[in-house]
Amino acid sequence: MATRTRRSQRRTEALSRAGIVEAAVELLDGAGEGGLTFRALAERLATGPGAIYWHVANKGELLDAATDAVVAAALAVEPAESPGSPRDEIRVVALGLFDAIEEHPWLAAQLSTHLSRSPWGSVTPRIFESVGRQVPALGVPQDGWFTTTSALVHYILGAAGQNAANSASAGALGAGVGRTEFLDSVAKAWEALDPDEYPFTRAVADQLRDHDDREQFLAGIDLVLAGVTAHPPSGD
Amino acid sequence: MATRTRRSQRRTEALSRAGIVEAAVELLDGAGEGGLTFRALAERLATGPGAIYWHVANKGELLDAATDAVVAAALAVEPAESPGSPRDEIRVVALGLFDAIEEHPWLAAQLSTHLSRSPWGSVTPRIFESVGRQVPALGVPQDGWFTTTSALVHYILGAAGQNAANSASAGALGAGVGRTEFLDSVAKAWEALDPDEYPFTRAVADQLRDHDDREQFLAGIDLVLAGVTAHPPSGD
DNA sequence: ACCTGAACACCGTTCAAGT
DNA sequence: ACCTGAACACCGTTCAAGT
């Protein structure tokens, strides 16, 4: 919902926090974390740098707000759909975050650093709730809920962040360079490592070259879920 | 090995890349990522900002070098010790990284962003090798090695990063505020969430309050390992 | 109440000049 | 070969002044 509020031709209809955050996300998407500047933001909003400070305390708060907006959108799935099994629901939430990070690569750093810089903020509970809601139905005893959910969230954020960085690298290599060429160049580098120090890494270079990000990501989720089923954690 | 090279009383004995990186780590440890400045670094090394550029291409390369130095130290365990089971070895490696991130909180953001910004660099293979080396002995078929190791590394980086942020938050709250007070304040915030939207998060607020970081971290590792044992991944 | 825009302190990086 | 330090372009943030 809400796709209007398109900035019209020339002057804006008054500044708003929501509009500022929206413009900030666009700048971040377009030019990465370095692209978000109060001056660039002001120009895009046809105002002066100082004006933004009336709606937002500082750059940190702006980044937090941008993060929250994007995460909220990613987790806003239809509530009364066909429910699906708990595992499927967790996969849906995880993939939602995975896709959001792929679409907004700056999210990865934001989630891993600033997210828990203020866990009382809205982002952490949002993610925690979406994942954890499914955990009781997995057969985990109540005193293992926190541990289980934490493990899932940690894996999701770690893996999604890693993949975002990979995508960003591929793009940064050059305009025409795709994931395939990028992975191939990394695999070549791995194969050139010292055989005495890096036997394992060399041995899996081919698997790196051929892997699919999403498949890999889901396989990891399944791994954690398999562990939950095999040995449900309890808080002893 | 090598704990000398202490900068003596006044002038330095010529600049070196290693000395610059060492000073950079100290600045990062002392004041976070914002504390690393070419001017501050130059002052600490009793030189001018320009001098550093003769040994280091730019700030990004400096951060990468600092990251690599710290990670290499963390993974440099005694090679010919009592070998231990593969699970124990993985726990040792994981805890080594966990501790390193706790000691150098700036590492978390570095690992999640810049690490894979250049996976051909030395940091990724180092971590990958240390963890993956134990995977074959876990009974995973060869075509599942990459998937398994990736899942473990992703969990480790995600969880360690999260915990680093928690520690940093506790410290930032105030000089005298410890982890206990910090966790308590977050738990209180969770308990104050909307019961309709956040039933699960509210239900585990107590478990958040009482949890131990390292215990939790290891429980997550065991969860992934249990999944590996229960359903060894294969690359189909 | 909300916006403007100059000003301040600071930063990464460059580079002519020194030794 | 290696270091110095002034200079450039840029940034977050503040704030007196406007409407």
Side-chain angles (χ1 to χ4, degrees):
Chain A
M1 52 181 78
T3 346
R4 48 202 184 90
T5 323
R6 293 283 90 204
R7 204 117 29 268
S8 51
Q9 32 275 56
R10 329 201 84 258
R11 342 209 104 274
T12 64
E13 66 243 302
L15 242 36
S16 74
R17 189 179 158 101
I20 290 172
V21 170
E22 186 187 338
V25 170
E26 288 168 10
L27 279 176
L28 287 164
D29 290 348
E33 187 147 358
L36 179 57
T37 279
F38 275 83
R39 284 171 176 81
L41 198 52
E43 192 185 9
R44 194 185 194 88
L45 296 170
T47 181
I52 297 166
Y53 281 87
W54 198 90
H55 297 90
V56 148
N58 52 43
K59 191 170 181 177
E61 189 185 300
L62 184 55
L63 278 167
D64 284 350
T67 302
D68 188 54
V70 169
V71 169
L75 296 180
V77 278
E78 61 296 354
E81 190 79 5
S82 51
S85 72
R87 320 175 76 87
D88 286 342
E89 293 295 327
I90 289 177
R91 285 197 193 92
V92 168
V93 170
L95 276 180
L97 283 171
F98 183 85
D99 291 341
I101 292 182
E102 200 158 47
E103 196 180 349
H104 313 281
W106 50 272
L107 246 192
Q110 215 53 30
L111 286 178
S112 83
T113 314
H114 303 272
L115 177 148
S116 12
R117 211 179 47 183
S118 53
W120 45 74
S122 41
V123 179
T124 312
R126 244 192 252 283
I127 296 177
F128 211 84
E129 180 74 24
S130 296
V131 174
R133 208 186 263 278
Q134 310 297 330
V135 165
L138 241 34
V140 178
Q142 171 147 16
D143 61 355
W145 288 358
F146 181 73
T147 297
T148 304
T149 307
S150 292
L152 282 166
V153 170
H154 290 155
Y155 170 76
I156 291 169
L157 294 182
Q162 226 50 21
N163 280 106
N166 284 351
S167 307
S169 299
L173 252 184
V177 181
R179 267 194 53 79
T180 309
E181 291 91 331
F182 171 70
L183 284 181
D184 188 62
S185 74
V186 177
K188 281 205 173 71
W190 281 20
E191 280 158 353
L193 289 167
D194 181 338
D196 287 333
E197 287 197 72
Y198 294 95
F200 179 81
T201 304
R202 286 166 51 97
V204 296
D206 263 337
Q207 295 179 35
L208 163 70
R209 191 173 352 236
D210 296 333
H211 90 283
D212 176 86
D213 282 338
R214 291 172 71 92
E215 213 174 273
Q216 184 89 6
F217 175 69
L218 285 177
I221 299 262
D222 288 342
L223 212 56
V224 182
L225 288 174
V228 172
T229 306
H231 295 299
S234 67
D236 50 19
Chain B
M1 50 182 81
T3 345
R4 49 200 185 92
T5 322
R6 292 285 89 203
R7 204 118 27 270
S8 53
Q9 33 273 58
R10 330 203 81 258
R11 344 210 101 274
T12 64
E13 67 244 303
L15 242 35
S16 73
R17 188 179 158 101
I20 291 172
V21 171
E22 186 187 338
V25 170
E26 288 169 9
L27 279 176
L28 287 164
D29 290 349
E33 187 147 357
L36 178 57
T37 278
F38 275 83
R39 284 173 176 79
L41 197 53
E43 192 185 9
R44 194 185 194 88
L45 296 170
T47 181
I52 297 167
Y53 281 87
W54 198 91
H55 297 92
V56 147
N58 52 44
K59 192 169 181 178
E61 189 184 300
L62 184 56
L63 278 167
D64 283 352
T67 302
D68 189 52
V70 169
V71 168
L75 296 180
V77 278
E78 61 296 352
E81 191 78 7
S82 51
S85 71
R87 321 176 73 88
D88 285 342
E89 293 296 327
I90 288 178
R91 285 198 192 92
V92 168
V93 171
L95 275 180
L97 283 170
F98 183 86
D99 290 340
I101 292 184
E102 200 158 46
E103 196 179 348
H104 313 282
W106 50 273
L107 246 191
Q110 216 53 29
L111 287 178
S112 83
T113 313
H114 302 272
L115 177 148
S116 12
R117 210 179 49 183
S118 53
W120 44 75
S122 42
V123 181
T124 313
R126 244 192 253 283
I127 297 177
F128 211 84
E129 181 75 24
S130 296
V131 174
R133 209 185 262 279
Q134 310 298 332
V135 165
L138 242 34
V140 178
Q142 172 149 15
D143 61 356
W145 287 359
F146 181 74
T147 296
T148 303
T149 307
S150 292
L152 282 165
V153 170
H154 290 154
Y155 170 76
I156 291 169
L157 294 181
Q162 225 51 23
N163 280 104
N166 284 352
S167 307
S169 297
L173 252 184
V177 180
R179 268 194 51 79
T180 308
E181 291 90 331
F182 171 71
L183 285 181
D184 188 63
S185 74
V186 177
K188 281 206 172 72
W190 282 19
E191 282 158 351
L193 289 166
D194 180 338
D196 287 332
E197 288 197 70
Y198 294 95
F200 179 81
T201 304
R202 286 167 52 98
V204 296
D206 263 337
Q207 295 179 37
L208 163 70
R209 190 171 355 235
D210 296 334
H211 90 283
D212 175 87
D213 281 341
R214 292 173 70 92
E215 212 174 273
Q216 183 88 5
F217 175 70
L218 285 178
I221 299 262
D222 287 343
L223 211 56
V224 181
L225 288 175
V228 173
T229 306
H231 295 298
S234 66
D236 51 17

